[in-house]
Amino acid sequence: AQSVTQLGSHVSVSEGALVLLRCNYSSSVPPYLFWYVQYPNQGLQLLLKYTTGATLVKGINGFEAEFKKSETSFHLTKPSAHMSDAAEYFCAVSDYSQFNKFYFGSGTKLNVKP
Amino acid sequence: EAGVAQSPRYKIIEKRQSVAFWCNPISGHATLYWYQQILGQGPKLLIQFQNNGVVDDSQLPKDRFSAERLKGVDSTLKIQPAKLEDSAVYLCASSLDYRMTNEQYFGPGTRLTVT
């Protein structure tokens, strides 16, 4: 079975500081990995995804994530936080052996201080 | 391109009442998903449709939850009777075809409060 663990339910950074949101996964098959962002009262929006190939994946709004198989991790980073980045971020793994079923982590709320 | 539409956006009901949610996926998307997102948790898949057939409903509490996608386009999710623990946001998502892509597009959700 697949599972996702996001360390830190709340992360607070200053504007302009590095953003690092942690995600570790467990998968019985080579994983497809995703990061989604959720703004208040909105649905989830895809930030980036890893399927195969290059392990450093670039997404929208300056975010990127690196797939590290040896560490079973897919941490999300952004060099410089903006106020508009304040939202909740979800890491997910999909299992192509189970109809591409998604398993989400419990989310990390990012607060950006001025 | 219009996104995934859901209604209502908010619903408050008393326990033991029934409620229904509606979802209209992106035009042309064959796969439709319903998720339950309880406060403080990530979304959990309830049911997955491919056109008008069910692909996976293993996590749907079938004693009280039902869902249909009769014409393979829009879908309804029903809860009858509701319990306090059903308070959550119900998200609908769609994808072009789960056999070809794992990219899902999410609607804004319906926030259900059961009192």
Side-chain angles (χ1 to χ4, degrees), chain B residues 86-107:
Chain B
D86 298 331
S87 293
V89 175
Y90 290 85
L91 294 166
C92 180
S94 69
S95 70
L96 191 60
D97 188 320
Y98 80 91
R99 296 167 298 181
M100 296 188 298
T101 176
N102 45 30
E103 198 156 323
Q104 297 183 22
Y105 298 84
F106 285 80

Side-chain angles (χ1 to χ4, degrees), chain A residues 19-97:
Chain A
V19 175
L20 171 61
L21 305 182
R22 299 179 185 274
C23 172
N24 288 86
Y25 69 90
S26 170
S27 178
S28 55
V29 298
Y32 293 163
L33 296 159
F34 304 79
W35 276 99
Y36 280 84
V37 60
Q38 187 176 35
Y39 297 99
N41 299 316
Q42 294 187 27
L44 280 71
Q45 179 184 3
L46 181 66
L47 273 179
L48 49 80
K49 66 177 181 179
Y50 168 79
T51 52
T52 59
T55 57
L56 182 62
V57 180
K58 295 186 184 300
I60 62 172
N61 301 338
F63 284 93
E64 62 182 37
E66 187 171 11
F67 169 59
K68 292 187 177 180
K69 184 178 179 181
S70 61
E71 299 177 7
T72 61
S73 69
F74 190 58
H75 302 331
L76 182 71
T77 60
K78 182 174 180 178
S80 176
H82 293 246
M83 297 296 293
S84 59
D85 294 328
E88 190 158 21
Y89 293 80
F90 291 92
C91 182
V93 60
S94 81
D95 185 347
Y96 57 80
S97 69

Side-chain angles (χ1 to χ4, degrees), chain B:
Chain B
E1 175 181 84
V4 177
Q6 291 188 247
S7 68
R9 292 294 314 276
Y10 304 91
K11 190 74 176 178
I12 301 174
I13 62 172
E14 295 181 352
K15 59 184 179 183
R16 292 187 289 274
Q17 286 187 323
S18 63
V19 64
F21 313 129
W22 175 81
C23 172
N24 192 28
I26 293 173
S27 178
H29 280 198
T31 310
L32 185 148
Y33 311 80
W34 283 102
Y35 289 87
Q36 180 190 56
Q37 185 179 14
I38 293 173
L39 187 64
Q41 299 181 20
K44 182 185 81 172
L45 180 70
L46 292 175
I47 188 167
Q48 177 180 343
F49 289 96
Q50 178 72 359
N51 297 310
N52 61 354
V54 175
V55 173
D56 183 357
D57 64 357
S58 58
Q59 300 208 84
L60 186 74
K62 298 180 186 64
D63 58 334
R64 298 183 300 106
F65 286 65
S66 64
E68 59 184 16
R69 194 185 183 201
L70 292 175
K71 296 182 179 179
V73 180
D74 56 351
S75 175
T76 55
L77 176 70
K78 297 178 182 178
I79 307 175
Q80 181 179 6
K83 293 184 175 181
L84 294 177
E85 59 260 36
D86 298 331
S87 293
V89 175
Y90 290 85
L91 294 166
C92 180
S94 69
S95 70
L96 191 60
D97 188 320
Y98 80 91
R99 296 167 298 181
M100 296 188 298
T101 176
N102 45 30
E103 198 156 323
Q104 297 183 22
Y105 298 84
F106 285 80
T110 296
R111 183 177 297 277
L112 173 66
T113 302
V114 183
T115 63

